[in-house]
Each structure stands twice: as C-alpha cells, then as structure tokens.
Amino acid sequence: MFRRTFWFTAGAAAGVWATTKVNRKLRELTPESLAAQAANKAVETGHRLKDFALDVRASMLQREAELGEALGLDAPPPAEQERELPAARRRAALGGRPVDDPTTSSFSYKTHNRNEDH
C-alpha cells in the first residue's frame, strides 16, 4: 500500500511539474512574448554597438594624439594665406599655364555671351 501511494504521489508531482513547464514554454512562445524578447535583444545590441563606437572613437582620438605628438603636428593650422601654394607650384599643378595672368587665359568674357546659347 505504501508503494502505491508513493508512486501515485510521484506521478502526480511529475504531471504537475511537466504541465507547469509546458504552460511556461507556451507563454514564452506567444507572438507578444516573442516580440518583447526581440525588442529587448535589439535594445541590448544597440547599447553594445554604442559602447563599441565610443571605445573606437576614444581609441582613435588617443592614437591621433600619439601620432601628432610623434610627428610634431601639435602646432595650430596655418592661416589661409600660408596654406596657398606659391605661384610657381600652382602653375605647375595646373598644367604649366599661369593662373593670375588674364592674357593667356583660353576663356574670354568679351567674346562669349552666355545669353546667345539659349
């Protein structure tokens, strides 16, 4: 008799446990639950990507500072006049013709009227 009671109780407990597990799993697989899980994973992934981007940016700035220090590029950028190429180099860069000389220009405003093209 004691054996029958033991196995009956063990079977009932196993049935309750299995039913609880199945119901919990069914609740996890509802469309609303799946959507909530996907949203949580997306938010978590977004936070990880943001942290990664911030780490990359910080490392990039640190490396740029190291390279600037090693190359001596810590000086402020030159003024506009200093950044312009000298006339000889500008002439060479544009195929040998002078830039500031209007007599050698291939385009003349006197001979060309834009309104005639229309």
Side-chain angles (χ1 to χ4, degrees), residues 37-58:
Q37 289 175 9
N40 289 340
K41 292 286 185 182
V43 168
E44 181 182 330
T45 302
H47 288 304
R48 287 183 181 177
L49 284 174
K50 181 182 175 185
D51 291 342
F52 175 72
L54 291 174
D55 288 345
V56 167
R57 182 179 170 96

Side-chain angles (χ1 to χ4, degrees), residues 51-75:
D51 291 342
F52 175 72
L54 291 174
D55 288 345
V56 167
R57 182 179 170 96
S59 298
M60 179 184 67
L61 291 174
Q62 179 184 358
R63 183 64 179 151
E64 283 181 1
E66 290 172 1
L67 290 173
E69 185 178 314
L71 297 174
L73 299 176
D74 292 334

Side-chain angles (χ1 to χ4, degrees), residues 66-96:
E66 290 172 1
L67 290 173
E69 185 178 314
L71 297 174
L73 299 176
D74 292 334
E80 285 295 323
Q81 295 171 345
E82 296 175 10
R83 290 195 317 183
E84 196 171 303
L85 288 174
R89 292 177 74 188
R90 285 192 352 221
R91 202 173 298 124
L94 294 173

